[in-house]
Amino acid sequence: MTLYYDEVETPVGTMLIVGDGENIVRVEYGSFQSMNNKMAAWVKRYFPDRSFVHSPEQVEQAKQELQEYFHGARQAFSFPFKFHGTPFQKQIWQALYDFIPYGETTAYKGIAQAIGNPKAVRAAGGAVNKNPLSIVVPCHRVIGADGKMIGYGGGLDKKEFLLALEKTISSG
């Protein structure tokens, strides 16, 4: 299988976009070079016989929509994407995508409740941490039950930036 990728410069740094020719399968902070090690286990598990090809045209729509998001012209993404993870992870990621509106936040408990399993708060947190589609699946909108900023794979500075951007645009 061939995976296509390109990078896009954003206000929070370089972002890597990876697609399979039909769907976007990964949006990560960092360049292809810097992310190769981080993605290695994930890629090995879900795409064992793969090769990577730098192909801007294969991920152009996602790149364009991310740029629109950062310019305040897009609040939802329309490019096709596909989750690769465990069934539970996919359920959590879909809930993140469906449940948290642009410019709003929720706690892990809210995500666990959204999937009908209110006791799965810790497991939901683990799945949120493995989100392969940063920004698109808005894990940056998940905060602590006490309203404080808590961990984010891209770093708390990026999470705070994204939340501030969305708050400015949605209240604008």
Side-chain angles (χ1 to χ4, degrees), residues 7-24:
E7 298 166 0
V8 60
E9 292 303 320
T10 75
V12 292
T14 302
M15 295 195 75
L16 174 66
I17 304 169
V18 180
D20 65 7
E22 293 180 25
N23 297 290
I24 298 302

Side-chain angles (χ1 to χ4, degrees), residues 3 17-18 46 48 56 59 76 99 121-122 135 141 147 149-150 163 168:
L3 293 177
I17 304 169
V18 180
Y46 298 107
V59 299
F99 177 70
V121 174
R122 189 168 292 202
I135 300 175
R141 296 180 192 151
M149 292 293 147
I150 52 175
L163 291 175
T168 300

Side-chain angles (χ1 to χ4, degrees), residues 43-58:
V43 169
K44 186 176 181 181
R45 180 173 184 181
Y46 298 107
F47 304 97
D49 299 318
R50 57 70 187 107
S51 60
F52 283 101
V53 174
H54 180 244
S55 181
E57 59 277 356
Q58 287 287 338

Side-chain angles (χ1 to χ4, degrees), residues 133-154:
L133 294 163
S134 293
I135 300 175
V136 178
V137 174
C139 57
H140 60 279
R141 296 180 192 151
V142 180
I143 59 173
D146 59 2
K148 292 184 180 176
M149 292 293 147
I150 52 175
Y152 184 62

Side-chain angles (χ1 to χ4, degrees), residues 3 54 60 109 115 117 136 162:
L3 293 177
H54 180 244
E60 182 59 36
K109 182 177 181 180
I115 65 163
N117 192 349
V136 178
L162 297 171

Side-chain angles (χ1 to χ4, degrees), residues 56-165:
E57 59 277 356
Q58 287 287 338
V59 299
E60 182 59 36
Q61 182 182 358
K63 188 174 177 177
Q64 175 77 29
E65 289 187 21
L66 277 167
Q67 290 170 328
E68 291 169 0
Y69 168 86
F70 281 108
H71 287 100
R74 175 170 294 278
Q75 296 183 5
F77 297 93
S78 64
F79 58 82
F81 60 86
K82 185 174 181 181
F83 297 128
H84 291 277
T86 68
F88 181 78
Q89 288 171 332
K90 291 177 186 179
Q91 186 179 24
I92 292 293
W93 300 333
Q94 191 64 54
L96 288 171
Y97 186 76
D98 294 340
F99 177 70
I100 315 172
Y102 182 92
E104 295 184 25
T105 58
T106 193
Y108 292 113
K109 182 177 181 180
I111 298 300
Q113 289 171 334
I115 65 163
N117 192 349
K119 293 184 179 185
V121 174
R122 189 168 292 202
V128 169
N129 185 45
K130 301 263 190 281
N131 175 18
L133 294 163
S134 293
I135 300 175
V136 178
V137 174
C139 57
H140 60 279
R141 296 180 192 151
V142 180
I143 59 173
D146 59 2
K148 292 184 180 176
M149 292 293 147
I150 52 175
Y152 184 62
L156 286 179
D157 59 328
K158 290 178 178 69
K159 182 175 193 161
E160 290 169 352
F161 178 91
L162 297 171
L163 291 175
L165 171 72

